[in-house]
Amino acid sequence: MSRPHIEPFCDRDVSFKNMILPGFGSGFRYKTLSLDNETGACSLTVQLDSGYKQPPGFSYSELEIVVVEGVIKVGDMTCNRGHYFFVPAGYALPQIESEHGALLLMMYNTGEPNLIESDQHHQFSRTELYHHVDSYKDIVWAPGNVVSPSVAAGCMIKLLNYNPDSHAMSFLYCMTPQFHQDNISYHDCAEEGYHLWGTSWMMQFGDLPTGGYFWRPPYINHGAFASEYGCIAFGRTDSKLYNHFHYNPWSTPDENQLRSAARLAKRDPFLYKWCVNMSHNHPHGPEDFEDTMKRKGHTHADGTHHHHDHDH
Ligand SMILES: [Fe+2]
């Protein structure tokens, strides 16, 4: 997921456009929140107009959906605001309709939005990953200290999706009224957020109101935080969320990255040394022994190419 830093941004400040990609019917309008211009992956605010109806079908991209306002029917199921869907690539959803209209958050995680009309899943779809939940009614708020080191008390989460390999997470988070946290955070992962309701304040970016959004690449300082009346938001990371806290508002992303690497060197010195040197005199990217495509050699910046004959 490579997208530029977008922050602060509020979708209420821009207007909807008609979706013209094939497969989507009329009455599907969108605002782009963020876009990976290499893969077409994007996050959209979507307005389904009254009477919108779309046939059963799948996307070639993994898709997450949150019902922000209004009601949609997915097959026979009525989904109110707060309903969350994790839809693997190639998973055919039944007919979707909205009698009185709805506002959705739609995140196409791995490719551009598409809708291939079908009542069958794609043969390679990992259908076992599909799940959905009424996140407002059927999950309770958990303390935010499931992430270590912990955010301040009063920031709570509901975990919606978790990738056991990358530790990427999708979740709701809320700040209770009068929440405040006085330190500055950055992470080793990209972080995305959308305010479903309410306003929070951040030292670097000011007030983020209802409809407020950020796509924040790794190592960017954010915080202190506060929220006078509280807020509820959808959040997502692309890998493990670790809270690097500090109090230096002037540190740069490069300095934050070096500090993070220094912390790794202290915590896992042998792993760190091995990743950086590979018993060799230059950096070498790590390999996963479970990967099916093994790299046997590599090319240096000066154009020379060689193979390692030692076994990693
Ligand atoms: Fe963060």
Side-chain angles (χ1 to χ4, degrees), residues 140-148 150-159 172-174 176:
V140 294
W141 290 108
N145 62 9
V146 293
V147 175
S148 173
S150 176
V151 291
C155 182
M156 322 214 16
I157 76 159
K158 299 186 182 197
L159 188 61
L172 293 186
Y173 65 96
C174 75
T176 50

Side-chain angles (χ1 to χ4, degrees), residues 39-270:
T39 65
C42 57
S43 297
L44 309 174
T45 308
V46 170
Q47 173 71 51
L48 301 182
D49 291 339
S50 304
Y52 178 79
K53 202 175 276 191
Q54 98 181 14
F58 63 76
S59 169
Y60 287 114
S61 169
E62 178 185 286
L63 170 65
E64 291 173 75
I65 305 172
V66 180
V67 180
V68 180
E69 298 289 349
V71 181
I72 59 172
K73 263 187 87 179
V74 178
D76 296 332
M77 183 170 59
T78 300
C79 304
N80 298 301
R81 62 182 188 165
H83 210 106
Y84 167 82
F85 293 85
F86 181 86
V87 188
Y91 187 96
L93 288 170
Q95 174 176 280
I96 296 177
E97 56 188 312
S98 183
E99 190 181 348
H100 300 296
L103 190 68
L104 311 177
L105 190 58
M106 295 183 78
M107 290 150 286
Y108 288 89
N109 296 338
T110 50
E112 66 181 29
N114 43 35
L115 177 64
I116 311 301
E117 194 171 333
S118 173
D119 55 8
Q120 307 281 319
H121 306 307
H122 188 283
Q123 60 171 324
F124 297 130
S125 178
R126 294 186 61 190
T127 56
E128 74 280 7
L129 298 178
Y130 171 77
H131 60 97
H132 69 92
V133 68
D134 183 335
S135 68
Y136 284 4
K137 292 192 178 142
D138 293 340
I139 309 179
V140 294
W141 290 108
N145 62 9
V146 293
V147 175
S148 173
S150 176
V151 291
C155 182
M156 322 214 16
I157 76 159
K158 299 186 182 197
L159 188 61
L160 300 176
N161 192 57
Y162 182 73
N163 182 318
D165 293 327
S166 66
H167 297 204
M169 296 189 297
S170 300
F171 49 92
L172 293 186
Y173 65 96
C174 75
M175 294 178 190
T176 50
Q178 300 300 331
F179 174 79
H180 59 93
Q181 179 171 328
D182 68 354
N183 56 11
I184 299 167
S185 312
Y186 64 86
H187 316 295
D188 302 297
C189 59
E191 194 173 35
E192 181 178 32
Y194 179 84
H195 267 216
L196 298 160
W197 178 84
T199 299
S200 70
W201 171 88
M202 234 182 305
M203 183 168 66
Q204 298 81 357
F205 307 110
D207 280 334
L208 198 67
T210 300
Y213 175 81
F214 59 83
W215 179 278
R216 188 184 300 134
Y219 305 114
I220 291 171
N221 283 338
H222 52 290
F225 306 95
S227 181
E228 188 174 1
Y229 301 114
C231 65
I232 175 166
F234 175 82
R236 219 154 63 96
T237 66
D238 64 351
S239 53
K240 183 177 169 62
L241 177 69
Y242 181 87
N243 289 320
H244 294 279
F245 290 133
H246 65 97
Y247 288 95
N248 174 6
W250 310 114
S251 70
T252 65
D254 282 349
E255 288 168 335
N256 290 346
Q257 190 167 17
L258 285 170
R259 176 174 177 254
S260 181
R263 291 179 138 191
L264 176 66
K266 284 178 200 156
R267 194 185 68 218
D268 295 316
F270 295 102

